[in-house]
Amino acid sequence: MDKPKYRSALIVGTGPGLSASLARLFAKNGLTVDLAARQTDKLSALANETGAAVHTCNAADPGDVAALFGALDAAGRTPDVVVYNASNRVRAPLVDLVPDDVKRAIEISAFGAFLVSQQAVKRMLPKQHGAVLLSGATAGVKGFALSATFAMGKFALRGLAQSMARELSPKGIHVAHFVIDGGIRSAARPVPADRPDSLLDPDAIAETYWAVLQQHRSAWSWEVEVRPWVENF
């Protein structure tokens, strides 16, 4: 079976965790990499390591997103893999939530994913080739107390992914949603010594994204869950 061949990746919502792991893995496998975030001051080391170009972009702003893709087109770096990692949460009792904060969080978690996906798909459709990978969370499957805002955003993201997959898979575009069901290990959140591998390793998550990208179109996944071996379902 021929594996799909990808040339260029764009990661929106880049930070030091999963996005950084994805950037390294994509670069290792020969893809050019572009990184986009609202704040890019901490991305220089990752850009140097991966040869990535860095772009400032508010993913919830239609003008910013259109300008980002226009700049990539002009530079000959139109992506055929697009990863959306941006999200925002506001944790509080329902009656204490500030409406503007809720609106902003949903715009980042879901509306931004729509904007980025729309721009990406416009460019993928003529070639009938490409992949859009959307990073979800446990909150997109079950809503927790004090987390209504995050649940709304991630439920919307999952619905977007499912609808896109049904519409675009027959047109050659692989859409996949990843339910990251558990905490992700980081320097600020190390794995407890008495609970080995109880947090998700971002490099291991990235390997799962890559495995999905390599799927033959006769057996595409539209959704994959990843969780630590000790995490409750």
Side-chain angles (χ1 to χ4, degrees), residues 194-229:
D194 60 342
R195 299 189 72 214
D197 296 326
S198 58
L199 294 174
L200 288 143
D201 183 330
D203 289 344
I205 304 172
E207 290 285 356
T208 300
Y209 278 55
W210 183 254
V212 169
L213 278 177
Q214 299 308 301
Q215 290 176 333
H216 188 265
R217 65 181 181 179
S218 68
W220 273 353
S221 298
W222 85 267
E223 182 169 76
V224 175
E225 289 183 316
V226 291
R227 66 173 60 83
W229 64 299

Side-chain angles (χ1 to χ4, degrees), residues 14-231:
T14 305
L18 173 58
S19 294
S21 293
L22 285 167
R24 295 186 187 102
L25 186 58
F26 290 157
K28 177 182 175 182
N29 282 281
L31 280 70
T32 60
V33 179
D34 285 88
L35 310 174
R38 283 179 296 166
Q39 298 179 336
T40 60
D41 54 312
K42 296 181 180 180
L43 296 180
S44 57
L46 179 62
N48 290 334
E49 179 183 353
T50 60
V54 177
H55 310 266
T56 302
C57 178
N58 175 2
D61 183 290
D64 265 20
V65 174
L68 168 63
F69 278 86
L72 294 175
D73 292 341
R77 297 169 70 96
T78 304
D80 53 8
V81 175
V82 172
V83 180
Y84 191 82
N85 275 344
S87 66
N88 186 274
R89 67 178 73 198
V90 181
R91 185 173 177 82
L94 185 72
V95 296
D96 294 335
L97 289 168
V98 178
D100 283 346
D101 292 343
V102 174
K103 179 182 178 182
R104 177 63 177 162
I106 295 173
E107 285 176 344
I108 294 171
S109 294
F111 182 58
F114 156 73
L115 293 175
V116 170
S117 297
Q118 185 182 57
Q119 291 291 336
V121 169
K122 284 181 179 179
R123 291 157 171 83
M124 294 173 182
L125 278 174
K127 300 176 182 178
Q128 294 190 316
H129 167 75
V132 179
L133 310 180
L134 304 174
S135 297
T138 314
V141 179
K142 54 184 177 181
F144 293 95
L146 307 180
S147 192
T149 301
F150 197 49
M152 284 189 284
K154 289 301 185 180
F155 263 79
L157 180 73
R158 186 169 186 257
L160 172 67
Q162 190 174 94
S163 181
M164 284 175 56
R166 288 187 165 129
E167 175 185 346
L168 298 170
S169 290
K171 299 177 181 179
I173 300 170
H174 191 176
V175 178
H177 175 253
F178 296 81
V179 180
I180 301 174
D181 188 12
I184 299 177
R185 188 192 72 191
S186 67
R189 192 180 191 182
V191 177
D194 60 342
R195 299 189 72 214
D197 296 326
S198 58
L199 294 174
L200 288 143
D201 183 330
D203 289 344
I205 304 172
E207 290 285 356
T208 300
Y209 278 55
W210 183 254
V212 169
L213 278 177
Q214 299 308 301
Q215 290 176 333
H216 188 265
R217 65 181 181 179
S218 68
W220 273 353
S221 298
W222 85 267
E223 182 169 76
V224 175
E225 289 183 316
V226 291
R227 66 173 60 83
W229 64 299
V230 296
E231 185 77 17

